[in-house]
Amino acid sequence: MASSLFIIIVGCGRLGSFLANRLSSAGHSVVVVDHRPEAFDKLSSEFSGFRVEGDAAELAVLKQAKAEKADLLIATTRDDNVNLMVAQAAKVEFNVSRVLARVFEPRREAVYRRLGVETVCPTTVAADLFLKSVLAENAL
Ligand code: AMP
């Protein structure tokens, strides 16, 4: 296996819990942050990481998650503003070398990139897949 990473996942919803379960079972050290304690119910029984309950937009909460030691942080909440705030804090305050964020509004991706944050935009990804499927069907 490649070397084990210390990964912080912000948001333990459908996306965050899926990533946390998979990355933990792949042997990485994972900390998941969510402000709703019931969100942690989505973690599998094999999840071997840590849970931090709190608002990830607060520096104290990221500190509690040991952000200064993280190799990677993934911001997965549904809120572009929260993800941007968390990603910026991870880069600027805690010097996390690799930061990824979920961004719903495609026009905002450039702002993240200027900060050195990698983005995944579900809107663009879905649009590309729909178009590919529709255009492939009509490519006669
Ligand atoms: P989903 O969109 O289903 O993947 O869920 C997003 C998750 O992010 C939910 O479990 C929310 O409780 C969580 N979340 C949203 N805002 C924050 C925040 N500021 N700090 C920590 N967790 C958050």
Side-chain angles (χ1 to χ4, degrees):
M1 189 185 90
S3 63
S4 168
L5 299 172
F6 175 35
I7 302 172
I8 299 179
I9 296 177
V10 171
C12 192
R14 283 165 298 182
L15 176 61
S17 61
F18 181 86
L19 292 172
N21 287 330
R22 291 291 283 267
L23 291 168
S24 170
S25 66
H28 298 292
S29 301
V30 179
V31 175
V32 196
V33 183
D34 204 295
H35 58 178
R36 289 183 314 116
E38 64 272 25
F40 299 122
D41 294 347
K42 292 190 211 60
L43 294 171
S44 74
S45 50
E46 289 89 51
F47 176 74
S48 62
F50 291 94
R51 303 152 173 82
V52 170
E53 189 191 324
D55 180 350
E58 289 176 12
L59 292 183
V61 172
L62 290 179
K63 209 169 169 53
Q64 204 187 329
K66 301 205 175 354
E68 74 283 358
K69 295 207 171 92
D71 299 301
L72 172 67
L73 178 143
I74 313 177
T76 75
T77 81
R78 280 166 186 262
D79 188 326
D80 282 358
N81 290 323
V82 169
N83 290 344
L84 180 58
M85 241 187 295
V86 169
Q88 188 164 18
K91 274 275 167 202
V92 177
E93 305 289 334
F94 296 99
N95 236 345
V96 180
S97 54
R98 214 172 154 206
V99 179
L100 290 88
R102 181 193 210 184
V103 192
F104 287 95
E105 173 50 63
R107 281 174 300 186
R108 300 189 74 172
E109 282 188 286
V111 180
Y112 290 77
R113 290 218 192 90
R114 276 200 291 277
L115 284 168
V117 174
E118 296 166 58
T119 54
V120 172
C121 178
T123 320
T124 312
V125 172
D128 285 348
L129 291 174
F130 277 122
L131 281 174
K132 217 178 192 175
S133 169
V134 172
L135 296 175
E137 250 172 47
N138 285 305
L140 295 176

